[in-house]
Amino acid sequence: MNFDLTEEQISIRDAAKDFAENEVAPSSVERDLNSEFPHEIIKKLGELGFMGMMVSPEWGGAGMDTVSYVLAIEELSKVDASVGVIMSVNNSLVCYGLEKWGSEFIKENYLKPLASGQKLGAFCLSEPEAGSDATQQKTEAVRDGDFYILNGMKNWITNGTNADYYFLQAMTDKSKGYKGISTFVVEKSFEGIEVGKKEDKLGIRSSDTCTLGLNNVKVPKENLLGEEGIGFKIAMETLNGGRIGVAAQSLGIAQASYEAAVKYSKQRKAFDSPISNLQAIQFKLADMAVMTEAARLLILKSAINKDEGKKYVKEASMGKLLASQAAVQCALEAIQIHGGYGYVREYLVERFLRDAKITQIYEGTSEIQKLVIARELIKESA
């Protein structure tokens, strides 16, 4: 497998890096402190084509490949993982599903403004009693003439407060279990949508997360994706691709932690020489570099497989599992290398740790990734 980047991919990576350093970095500390959503940054990302990177130009997207998407997410997440996840959700959890399963009506009216960055999307699967076991949906969608009437509650909705459109799963036939789940595009402006308070989170604080209530929300029948009963399939396949985005976000955190640790270790002196000369520090840096590079290769493999139309579910889960572990471990080691300075906001590495932990939880916990990997391995052995 060839991991060499094309000139176009390098150009996209460099553009994302430049944007992250010049547009995202200056306000990242303040936004983290105040839990402030990066409205202007997201608007500019849309103008640059980063909010619908893999969507066909026909529907307002940039028509790029998954590898380019991974490179951009990593560079943004190195500076601010909140911006990385906002962009990731819109790209892989919303635009992907609308382009694959949406009708001409949905693509024209919803995908185009989302892919071009004019509107923002959110993915609504989790519920108070349906997290890792997404089959236990309680939100209902009852057909009433030309509409579906939706009632229920969704939680842990990334972009939920600021999104314009929701990619939402609801039960259209309880008797069929998970085969009775369907997917809808729901506008925030629809009557009966109740956006809950923004969660006060440990990390990715510039990204908003909230609960979403649905009280007799009338959704036009044209807003159904595909057909009734395939919503669970849509959600699971969408999450398979979404894990590549979260893996890239995790990789960005791990890489930033490693780079900060190397820089500090060369500057900080102890026993009359830089601490980078100490074997204890060198071992930490080596472990961080190995974990980060291994995660990068797995993520690139999953992205290349996806671009080439090959199976990528196992590789995406492997990449997400390893990269999220690398993010947490590298952030921990970066703090340790910084000593007391690592524990204060001024040196940033404490934020890397706070941002890293969620990558082991959302879009499938580490435990769920192991289940997915094991199931794929068993299939292959058969």
Side-chain angles (χ1 to χ4, degrees), residues 81 112 134 216 247 255 282 298 305 348:
K112 272 189 175 181
N216 292 323
Q255 183 67 34
Q282 292 175 351
L298 266 175
N305 279 5
L348 299 181

Side-chain angles (χ1 to χ4, degrees), residues 73-85:
I73 291 285
E74 180 190 351
E75 292 299 333
L76 289 164
S77 299
K78 280 171 63 177
V79 171
D80 188 350
S82 293
V83 172
V85 75

Side-chain angles (χ1 to χ4, degrees), residues 240 242-251 291-303 312-327 359 366 369-370 372-373:
N240 287 334
R243 284 167 187 150
I244 297 176
V246 172
Q249 178 202 22
S250 307
L251 178 61
M291 289 186 72
T292 302
E293 190 62 18
R296 175 175 288 108
L297 293 175
L298 266 175
I299 295 166
L300 285 174
K301 183 178 181 181
S302 66
Y312 66 91
V313 173
K314 180 186 68 179
E315 289 77 10
S317 283
M318 284 180 166
K320 201 261 191 188
L321 176 64
L322 183 59
S324 61
Q325 290 173 346
T359 65
S366 293
Q369 301 314 313
K370 291 177 182 180
V372 172
I373 293 164

Side-chain angles (χ1 to χ4, degrees), residues 191-232:
E191 186 176 351
I193 294 288
E194 300 170 356
V195 178
K197 72 177 183 67
K198 187 168 63 174
E199 301 289 350
D200 188 10
K201 300 176 297 188
L202 171 70
I204 55 167
R205 292 172 56 81
S206 188
S207 159
D208 64 302
T209 305
C210 71
T211 298
L212 192 70
L214 301 106
N215 185 19
N216 292 323
V217 179
K218 291 180 68 176
V219 179
K221 67 180 191 306
E222 291 81 11
N223 286 35
L224 172 71
L225 255 72
E227 59 190 47
E228 286 189 13
I230 64 170
F232 186 75

